[in-house]
Amino acid sequence: MKLDPQKTNNMENKLKVEIWSDVMCPFCYIGKRKFEIALNQFEQRDEIEIVWKSFQLSPNMVTQPDKNIHQFLAEHKGISVAEAKNMNNYVTDMAKKVGLTYNFDTAIVANSRKAHQFSHFALQHGKQNEAEELLFKSYFTDGKNTDDLAVLLELGRELGFNTEELQENLASSKYDGAVSVDINEARQIGVSGVPFFVFDRKYAISGAQEVSVFLETIEKSFEEWNKNNPAKLKIQKGTSCDVDGKCE
C-alpha cells in the first residue's frame, strides 16, 4: 500500500516507522515480532526510528479482572464460548511460530487507555519500544491487568523510570491527549485496523504480514529515504577549539 508523501522533521536523521497498535490486539504482538525479525536482517537497522502510535479496538471496554477473556470475546462477537476458545487457540498457534507464548486462559479483560498513556510516558524517556514489549508480554503471557496502576508502576520500575513521576503522570492523565491525537491521526490516514505500519509516510503495511513483506518494504523505503537524506558524518572527537574560543 502506498501513501501520499507527508514528510515530517526528523532531528536524528533516521527513517521513521510509525506503528499503530493496541495492547489487547494479539495480532499486534505477532506483527511486532515479525517486523523485528525483518529489521534484524536489515544491515542499516540503526538508521531506523520506531514510534508506537495508540489505537483502541474497544475504547468503551470496562476492565473486568474476574471475567474470562474467552467469555468476553464470545459476547463481543456474538459467538459461543467454544468458538471463542477455538479462535484464541488458533492465534496462540500463530504466536508460537514467532516465539511468543499466549496464555488466554489467564488473560485479563482490561481497557487499554492507561497502557497507551504509559507508552507515551516511555516515549518521552527514550524507552517506548521496550515499554510496548513489556505491555504485550504482561497482557498475553503473564496474565497481568494492564489497566492497573500498580502493574504499570511495576513495569516502570523494570524499565528504570522514576515511579513517583510515572504515578503522577498516570494519575493526572497527562498523556491522554497524546493518545487521542494518535487515534484521530489514524482516522485521517485511513487506519481501520491494527497493527498498521507506516514507513516514512510513504508506504504502509496493514496486519501481521510475513517477514519477507516487512523486509521488502523496509529496504524499499530506506532506499528512497536515503537518496534524500545523505549520511551524517561520523565524527571522532578529540582536542579542539570552538568558535567561542573554548579549547579542550
Side-chain angles (χ1 to χ4, degrees), residues 49-103:
E49 174 190 6
I50 301 169
V51 179
W52 289 87
K53 298 280 194 171
S54 303
F55 191 95
Q56 281 198 287
L57 293 170
S58 299
N60 298 319
M61 172 192 282
V62 176
T63 298
Q64 302 175 75
D66 297 328
K67 181 171 241 181
N68 184 282
I69 198 73
H70 302 303
Q71 183 182 352
F72 168 79
L73 181 61
E75 294 173 358
H76 184 67
K77 290 189 172 292
I79 59 179
S80 69
V81 173
E83 288 174 312
K85 285 184 177 180
N86 286 336
M87 290 177 65
N88 286 332
N89 288 338
Y90 173 76
V91 176
T92 298
D93 289 338
M94 285 185 63
K96 284 180 181 177
K97 293 178 181 178
V98 289
L100 299 175
T101 301
Y102 282 7
N103 296 315

Side-chain angles (χ1 to χ4, degrees), residues 201-212:
R201 288 299 172 101
K202 291 179 67 177
Y203 297 97
I205 291 176
S206 177
Q209 297 197 33
E210 294 304 317
V211 171
S212 60

Side-chain angles (χ1 to χ4, degrees), residues 90-135:
Y90 173 76
V91 176
T92 298
D93 289 338
M94 285 185 63
K96 284 180 181 177
K97 293 178 181 178
V98 289
L100 299 175
T101 301
Y102 282 7
N103 296 315
F104 282 107
D105 288 339
T106 58
I108 292 176
V109 176
N111 188 288
S112 60
R113 190 84 184 191
K114 195 172 293 182
H116 285 303
Q117 294 175 32
F118 177 86
S119 178
H120 274 279
F121 178 90
L123 173 63
Q124 297 304 312
H125 291 76
K127 290 187 176 182
Q128 191 187 34
N129 202 54
E130 295 91 335
E132 288 287 333
E133 179 67 26
L134 283 182
L135 287 168

Side-chain angles (χ1 to χ4, degrees), residues 10 13 24 45 52-53 60 62 64 78 110 127 145 151 171 182 186 198 213 230 240 244:
N10 194 333
N13 196 35
M24 62 173 290
R45 56 186 170 273
W52 289 87
K53 298 280 194 171
N60 298 319
V62 176
Q64 302 175 75
K127 290 187 176 182
N145 182 355
V151 170
D182 285 353
V198 177
V213 175
S240 63
D244 295 323

